[in-house]
Amino acid sequence: MSTIRRSARCLIDGTAREGTIEDDAFIYTGGRASLASVTFLPPCIPSKIIGIGRNYADHAAELANPLPAEPLLFFKPSSALNHHNGAVTYPVHSQRVDYEGELGVVIGVRCKAVPRSRAHEVIMGYTICNDFTARDLQRTDGQWARAKGFDGFAPIGPCIASGIEPSDLRLRTRLNGVVKQDATTASLVFDVPALVEYVSAAFTLEPGDVISTGTPAGVGPVQPGDVVEVEIESIGVLRNTIVAPG
Ligand code: MG
């Protein structure tokens, strides 16, 4: 049984610190701070965030989409990166923005063409992603770049958990405290090793890159003022607030 380690990056007195989360404290070199007192940063800086579409059968069905025969990939730009407790600005271009709670795979080493049997060698750990999506623009644009790529549409965090097994983790998304998604990663159509194999066959993966593994059923719209929490067993809770465009 390996020990679970939760690494995070936080601002302490204006300085970015790397450390670990232990109970209700952030532990860093030279100090410790209560989680309530720190500002979370993204736990890694991805060169790219690779999204996986329609990777839970019940979610594909709820949007009346067929299941893909192979993993369906898209990118979220690094400019969309957001963090635990970060605000997500509702874009003026959309009338329908949805949350999508997802397990994120964080890559630990530069790699290419990794067979699924060796995927564990290139994974640093696991985080939580909320793949915010402008559903109306996803339909009308055809390409998903804009719908998935607005500034702030890729919150990740609060930490990277290593020493955990990703094959059966409970995932719940709460909108203003009401559970909207409740599933387990055991229901992934393409599991984590299969995704690492497929994605790394196409792209060189860099340390800090994130694969967001897809969302289960229960997606739905948000409005300014809403609070969305995505909780994944053994990792933690990623919380974000929706704000009106300034
Ligand atoms: Mg998604």
Side-chain angles (χ1 to χ4, degrees):
M1 196 71 185
S2 54
T3 307
I4 299 176
R5 176 187 163 91
R6 296 181 184 85
S7 59
R9 295 170 62 247
C10 294
L11 269 184
I12 305 286
D13 298 329
T15 302
R17 303 277 190 178
E18 299 194 358
T20 58
I21 293 175
E22 294 173 25
D23 299 320
D24 58 354
F26 175 68
I27 314 290
Y28 59 99
T29 303
R32 93 186 260 137
S34 76
L35 293 185
S37 72
V38 301
T39 299
F40 278 79
L41 299 169
C44 56
I45 305 295
S47 76
K48 52 191 170 297
I49 301 165
I50 301 123
I52 310 295
R54 302 168 190 163
N55 200 25
Y56 286 83
D58 56 359
H59 169 63
E62 75 178 342
L63 296 183
N65 290 309
L67 270 187
E70 294 186 1
L72 175 58
L73 309 187
F74 61 90
F75 285 125
K76 291 173 85 84
S78 54
S79 47
L81 194 61
N82 203 336
H83 51 86
H84 177 54
N85 289 332
V88 178
T89 301
Y90 201 111
V92 295
H93 317 78
S94 175
Q95 305 301 315
R96 168 74 192 233
V97 173
D98 284 6
Y99 56 81
E100 294 190 358
E102 309 194 359
L103 173 71
V105 180
V106 182
I107 298 299
V109 294
R110 190 166 208 253
C111 60
K112 182 79 198 282
V114 180
R116 66 188 71 191
S117 62
R118 301 188 62 179
H120 62 281
E121 297 175 24
V122 305
I123 295 171
M124 176 194 303
Y126 300 90
T127 190
I128 304 170
C129 303
N130 197 331
D131 173 23
F132 279 98
T133 302
R135 195 69 69 200
D136 49 353
L137 304 183
Q138 185 184 27
R139 297 188 197 284
T140 54
D141 284 2
Q143 297 288 321
W144 298 359
R146 189 166 67 137
K148 300 276 195 180
F150 285 102
D151 288 359
F153 265 29
I156 61 173
C159 64
I160 300 168
S162 56
I164 67 172
E165 164 57 49
S167 59
D168 187 12
L169 296 174
R170 188 175 183 190
L171 180 160
R172 278 170 292 182
T173 303
R174 294 182 289 272
L175 177 63
N176 302 321
V178 178
V179 175
K180 297 292 188 178
Q181 296 184 291
D182 189 350
T184 155
T185 58
S187 299
L188 286 169
V189 176
F190 300 100
D191 66 11
V192 167
L195 292 175
V196 169
E197 177 177 282
Y198 191 87
V199 169
S200 70
F203 319 122
T204 295
L205 298 176
E206 305 284 356
D209 281 356
V210 173
I211 302 172
S212 197
T213 58
T215 202
V219 299
V222 295
Q223 302 298 334
D226 284 348
V227 176
V228 186
E229 294 174 307
V230 185
E231 178 168 8
I232 299 182
E233 179 185 359
S234 300
I235 304 175
V237 177
L238 173 68
R239 181 183 304 107
N240 294 98
T241 302
I242 314 303
V243 300

